[in-house]
Amino acid sequence: MSIIYNCRHCGQEIAKLDQKMIDTTMLGLDQLSMKEKEEMIQYKDNGDVDVQTICEDCQETLGHHPHYHELDFFIQ
């Protein structure tokens, strides 16, 4: 089982945690609302968990161009 963090904007893999057992409360996933969980977390058939987050580069870009928050995708 792996938990894989990917940037929702550019698709870059940010991190991958390979563990036999992972306590999701230690990762803070229990702090998300149900809507946030539905939007950010996908469970794969092989047991992997994909978490959509944001990488440092995309976060910096959004900081410099706040109007990009209005767009679903700002990287072409």
Side-chain angles (χ1 to χ4, degrees), residues 54 56-69 74:
I54 186 168
E56 290 179 12
D57 292 334
C58 289
Q59 181 63 42
E60 184 177 336
T61 300
L62 286 169
H64 292 295
H65 306 281
H67 61 281
Y68 285 179
H69 283 280
F74 63 87

Side-chain angles (χ1 to χ4, degrees), residues 8 29 31-42 52:
R8 65 178 171 215
L29 299 179
Q31 300 296 311
L32 300 173
S33 70
M34 286 303 288
K35 183 178 179 182
E36 290 169 329
K37 287 179 185 178
E38 289 173 3
E39 291 174 356
M40 295 176 62
I41 301 172
Q42 296 177 358
Q52 297 296 309

